[in-house]
Amino acid sequence: MKIILLGPPGSGKGTIAEKLAKDFKFLNISAGVLLREEVKKGTTIGKEIKKYIDKGELAPYKFVVEMVKLEIHDKKDYILDGFPRSVEQAKIIEDLNIDLVIYMEISEEKVIERFSGRRIDPNTGKSYHLKFIPPPKAIMGRIITRKDDNPKVVKERFRIYHKETAPVVGYYKKKGILKTVDAAPPPKEVYDAVKKIVKDFQAKDFQKKMIKRERAN
Ligand code: AP5
């Protein structure tokens, strides 16, 4: 099963992707995580990418597409978090035949509150929230804030989201594979809604395959 998690910055894509990947044994591919890993390596390309991330702009799409495709390789079950992020990127991955796109809908005001409390474990890259998803005591000494979570960069990330990424919602809606989830409630509630969408899809898909098999016999 090939799933895309789509939504504004801070809508909870990373949080949901991690849980889904664990429960359904899907590969979790986050474009943001892959890009930050490249930055951490300090490669020439990593240094270049850092400039985009720090400003809240999209990294050059050819590099991002290549990086994600390399990660997918020949896998059949995966979640794409934060990719595609423009209609241009969506068109380039048409050949992947995505099954389901889950759009995490949330207001900008609600998300701003989340950014102020977000903390990252630099060792695992996992996101926490001081109030909503508190980090375990054992890692409290090492958690950090993300540089692109400062209000000025967040504003730019939202501007880019509305200009480049929001049209992707309509793109997949037209294809009839988009499902919308209210991403504002507490984490468990949001996750239960997403899980139900995935399970319903799997059940329908199984049914379709059975009917096809019966017809072939
Ligand atoms: P990326 O890392 O993908 O950032 P983003 O899309 O802006 O999303 P975030 O990671 O900020 O938020 P999220 O939706 O994953 O929410 P999270 O689960 O962390 O990208 C960073 C940069 O990389 C981009 O700006 C760009 O430069 C570049 N980039 C990435 N992809 C690219 C692409 N395809 N092409 C070009 N460039 C690209 O949750 C947020 C906070 O809220 C956390 O603290 C969490 O604990 C908390 N939380 C989560 N759910 C809930 C809930 N239900 N209730 C309360 N709190 C919650």
Side-chain angles (χ1 to χ4, degrees), residues 93-146:
I93 58 153
E94 277 286 302
D95 60 318
L96 294 180
N97 294 317
I98 296 296
D99 297 302
L100 182 64
V101 179
I102 300 174
Y103 168 46
M104 319 257 306
E105 193 175 42
I106 192 164
S107 69
E108 204 165 315
E109 297 76 52
K110 188 94 189 170
V111 151
I112 302 283
E113 183 192 4
R114 291 189 183 173
F115 279 123
S116 58
R118 172 153 68 177
R119 295 295 181 274
I120 308 291
D121 177 358
N123 291 7
T124 61
K126 198 171 150 62
S127 256
Y128 295 94
H129 191 283
L130 293 178
K131 186 171 152 196
F132 306 120
I133 308 173
K137 269 192 186 143
I139 68 160
M140 277 308 245
R142 65 171 189 248
I143 51 168
I144 52 165
T145 52
R146 246 169 69 172

Side-chain angles (χ1 to χ4, degrees), residues 9-10 12-15 36 57 59 82 85 89 118 128 146 157 185:
K13 303 182 293 295
T15 305
R36 282 188 288 278
E57 291 171 4
R85 239 177 164 96
Q89 290 183 4
R118 172 153 68 177
Y128 295 94
R146 246 169 69 172
R157 283 162 64 194

